Amino acid sequence: MSEADAPLVGPGIRRRRRALELTLAEVARRAGLSTPFLSQIENGRSRPSMGSLQRIADALDTTAVQLLSTAEAPRPVDVVRGTSASVRETGTEGNSDGRMRPLVRGHQRLHALEFTGDHDWGREFRHRNDEILYVADGSAEVEADGSFYRLERGDTLYCAGGLVHRWRPIEPDTRVLVVGIGDHVQVTDEQSG
């Protein structure tokens, strides 16, 4: 499946922008994109790279995962094939051979993403809820809450909600799965004392 078959995120971006009562020009300026390009995205005539989508998400005070999840309606059962479309990632320098592929589609209570190739080490993440990173192939370096960890094939790192973290592949052909509880979900602790 080609990138042209990837879900359209434009309508979700438009809904979020209008809910925040922001103009197209305001969001484009905040995201560092041209207004015509953002208009093309919203109208489904262009698809953003993952880097552009992250900048748009930042401008709309949300996450790229949330914008991707609004591209399709939730399904109680869904199969995402290994041949499904991925989105090119762009780093802070504007170039990357990294790809990101959603493994869960629609506005669900959890998100799952597969990353292959490069990943932007300069971008830090902080999510409302818990997340795990699983190295399916290769190896990765993770900085979480100020500590560094080297993860090899088969290793998993758990990151509690609210902790700042970032990661990058260490070797070629690294594949990392990121699974977490959606930021829109309110998690309550039910620990017994």
Side-chain angles (χ1 to χ4, degrees):
M1 192 177 272
S2 71
E3 196 165 301
D5 297 325
L8 291 173
V9 296
I13 291 170
R14 182 185 304 110
R15 281 190 300 277
R16 176 71 180 175
R17 177 179 61 78
R18 288 179 176 169
L20 295 173
E21 299 179 353
L22 296 170
T23 67
L24 196 64
E26 286 174 302
V27 174
R29 181 185 50 77
R30 288 180 183 184
L33 301 172
S34 73
T35 303
F37 179 57
L38 184 57
S39 176
Q40 289 177 348
I41 292 169
E42 281 195 2
N43 292 309
R45 291 189 309 269
S46 185
R47 298 177 199 274
S49 68
M50 193 59 191
S52 293
L53 185 60
Q54 287 172 335
R55 290 195 305 274
I56 293 167
D58 290 345
L60 295 172
D61 195 30
T62 189
T63 65
V65 170
Q66 287 298 104
L67 292 176
L68 282 168
S69 74
T70 63
E72 297 184 37
R75 304 167 192 179
V77 176
D78 189 24
V79 175
V80 178
R81 301 287 179 195
T83 57
S84 65
S86 62
V87 178
R88 185 175 63 87
E89 281 201 284
T90 37
T92 53
E93 304 300 316
N95 54 0
S96 172
D97 67 350
R99 307 288 297 180
M100 187 278 304
R101 181 173 69 99
L103 301 176
V104 174
R105 295 182 287 201
H107 193 65
Q108 308 290 9
R109 284 175 281 224
L110 67 85
H111 64 262
L113 305 167
E114 176 187 60
F115 293 89
T116 55
D118 283 341
H119 184 71
D120 187 4
W121 178 249
R123 182 166 177 88
E124 293 182 332
F125 299 91
R126 180 191 312 245
H127 305 290
R128 174 180 176 172
N129 295 314
D130 300 353
E131 184 174 77
I132 64 165
L133 283 82
Y134 171 77
V135 178
D137 291 307
S139 59
E141 179 180 24
V142 180
E143 181 183 8
D145 201 28
S147 296
F148 290 85
Y149 305 90
R150 181 182 173 105
L151 302 179
E152 302 293 335
R153 182 173 187 229
D155 291 346
T156 301
L157 179 129
Y158 164 82
C159 189
L163 293 181
V164 174
H165 59 283
R166 63 184 179 151
W167 67 272
R168 66 178 167 193
I170 296 175
E171 59 187 86
D173 301 322
T174 293
R175 188 167 54 110
V176 175
L177 305 181
V178 177
V179 180
I181 300 168
D183 285 343
H184 65 285
V185 175
Q186 177 67 42
V187 177
T188 59
D189 283 332
E190 295 183 8
Q191 296 177 346
S192 58

